[in-house]
Amino acid sequence: MRTIFLLLIALLASTGLLQAADRPHVGLVKSADGEAFIIRDGQRLGATPGAGLREGDVLMTGAQGSLGVILSDDTLLSLGSSSRISIERFTFDPARGAFAMVLRLSRGLIEYLSGKISKLSPGSVHIETPVATLGIRGTHLIARVEP
Amino acid sequence: MNPLPRQLHLFLFFFLVVSGGCAGPKASFILLPEENHPAGEVIIQNRQGDERLTRPFQSVEVEGTHREPSPPVQLDPASVRQQYGGLMASLPQPPLHYLLYFEFGSAQLLPESEQLLPEIARAVNARRPAEVSVEGHADTVGTLEYNYNLGLRRATAVAERLAALGAAPVRVDAASRGKNDPQVKTPDETPEPRNRRAEITIR
């Protein structure tokens, strides 16, 4: 009985049902237009202004959608239409000197303006795309991925 | 020199011929200028090679995973701004930062800092939905633990004062760095007014 209970816990943990609340808060939706969503643990949530973001979240926009987002290290991000980007990793912990950011743009269009992670720890910020990975040293850019 | 066995090369060749012309996803990257900063650098890398963007409005393209990034070309700023105007309009405003200073060993604000509070509260509400971070700091007089707690009392006091003035962010984060992150480096046990502070970020 006890084994089954433990297995159930392990299963819940592995499917992510226990994870969303544990993941750190990493940012905020500042503006949204048209269809804009957050995908968290397989659930599609509306990306409305004021919605909080967590590590692991995927941001998505529809054909008429756009999004403006600010991350906890002051990074600014906007998404154009038909775009999809995931926050694969985000660690901003100046007290421990721990910094990391990995974003994965799988399709669409983003503008990125770097925040403190890139300034305090050059080389810790990466944007992955299906065809290449970007290493970012404190800067401002547009990235576009067409299928 | 070449890590792939011959069979795999043949297989890849065959695959590319069969998938003829379907290059897969294509990406382009443009470096933009950054206000008050020299342009940074972006390194675009895949298994075939890498390129760097070092000047504003340079662009690199990558066609599929089996092609190296193209050499950078210089684009016309006006046409980039025109093409991506909508995207650029969606970028949020940069965050606002304020510094407040305190009496020695206390969470009592100095009068000049006290006077800034209404302006800060208004700035929070002008940016709704806003997130506020308050980081409290101390000078080096006293133990690590004492100054951690002092920094936290300072941060919490500021967050409470802003709320009392009507600031309504969606989220407030009050944290302390104690004496570990001074604005002015001093030896231990040194009173330093500039280190008795709270840093406020409005996002």
Side-chain angles (χ1 to χ4, degrees):
Chain A
M1 189 60 198
R2 193 189 181 129
T3 321
I4 291 173
F5 181 69
L6 288 175
L7 272 175
L8 195 63
I9 296 273
L11 189 69
L12 284 172
S14 67
T15 52
L17 289 175
L18 293 177
Q19 289 170 6
D22 298 338
R23 269 187 241 124
H25 174 88
V26 301
L28 178 73
V29 174
K30 289 289 285 183
S31 64
D33 263 315
E35 315 121 286
F37 306 101
I38 300 167
I39 298 173
R40 179 177 300 157
D41 298 333
Q43 303 260 45
R44 200 165 88 159
L45 316 167
T48 47
L53 299 174
R54 294 183 180 278
E55 190 178 41
D57 282 356
V58 180
L59 301 171
M60 266 185 82
T61 55
Q64 307 295 326
S66 71
L67 263 177
V69 160
I70 186 160
L71 301 181
S72 305
D73 78 321
D74 297 355
T75 294
L76 306 180
L77 200 60
S78 61
L79 274 76
S81 59
S82 304
S83 300
R84 181 188 168 103
I85 189 166
S86 58
I87 305 168
E88 296 286 315
R89 275 187 75 194
F90 185 93
T91 306
F92 178 59
D93 190 349
R96 284 192 230 162
F99 305 101
M101 187 187 317
V102 179
L103 305 174
R104 184 174 293 157
L105 176 66
S106 35
R107 65 164 187 270
L109 188 59
I110 58 159
E111 180 178 354
Y112 162 99
L113 177 58
S114 67
K116 289 183 184 157
I117 293 179
S118 183
K119 284 169 184 101
L120 294 171
S121 179
S124 296
V125 178
H126 296 279
I127 298 178
E128 299 174 346
T129 75
V131 294
T133 295
L134 309 190
I136 291 172
R137 289 174 189 275
T139 198
H140 186 187
L141 64 93
I142 286 172
R144 161 175 241 147
V145 172
E146 294 159 56
Chain B
M1 183 75 185
N2 198 329
L4 290 177
R6 194 187 194 98
Q7 286 91 334
L8 194 53
H9 269 297
L10 283 170
F11 173 77
L12 281 176
F13 178 73
F14 185 67
F15 176 79
L16 291 179
V17 168
V18 168
S19 62
C22 174
K26 183 180 153 182
S28 50
F29 309 103
I30 305 168
L31 190 65
L32 296 177
E34 207 182 341
E35 260 178 71
N36 311 321
H37 285 282
E41 186 180 59
V42 179
I43 302 157
I44 296 117
Q45 189 167 37
N46 66 15
R47 294 175 73 169
Q48 315 302 324
D50 57 76
E51 288 290 346
R52 274 155 206 267
L53 297 174
T54 54
R55 284 200 299 277
F57 300 104
Q58 272 185 330
S59 171
V60 160
E61 300 198 341
V62 188
E63 288 197 42
T65 49
H66 44 265
R67 298 270 286 273
E68 76 263 26
S70 70
V73 294
Q74 194 69 41
L75 303 180
D76 170 43
S79 49
V80 171
R81 289 203 170 97
Q82 191 183 3
Q83 188 178 358
Y84 297 106
L87 181 72
M88 291 167 149
S90 302
L91 196 73
Q93 284 183 285
L96 289 174
H97 299 277
Y98 292 90
L99 266 175
L100 301 178
Y101 295 93
F102 296 83
E103 307 276 3
F104 175 71
S106 153
Q108 177 70 47
L109 285 163
L110 297 183
E112 310 87 278
S113 292
E114 181 81 32
Q115 285 170 13
L116 280 174
L117 287 173
E119 178 196 327
I120 299 172
R122 279 195 298 274
V124 172
N125 290 342
R127 289 197 169 221
R128 276 191 277 213
E131 209 172 74
V132 175
S133 300
V134 190
E135 199 173 61
H137 299 265
D139 64 24
T140 58
V141 179
T143 62
L144 277 174
E145 191 189 2
Y146 169 80
N147 281 306
Y148 174 81
N149 289 328
L150 179 57
L152 198 57
R153 280 198 288 132
R154 286 174 171 163
T156 311
V158 168
E160 286 171 359
R161 296 295 308 278
L162 290 175
L165 286 165
V170 292
R171 190 187 161 90
V172 185
D173 180 33
S176 175
R177 297 292 301 278
K179 62 175 177 178
N180 290 327
D181 188 23
Q183 190 172 28
V184 180
K185 283 225 159 47
T186 69
D188 204 18
E189 298 298 335
T190 308
E192 172 51 67
R194 286 169 292 178
N195 290 338
R196 305 195 282 264
R197 71 204 194 278
E199 296 179 5
I200 302 177
T201 306
I202 305 172
R203 282 185 214 97

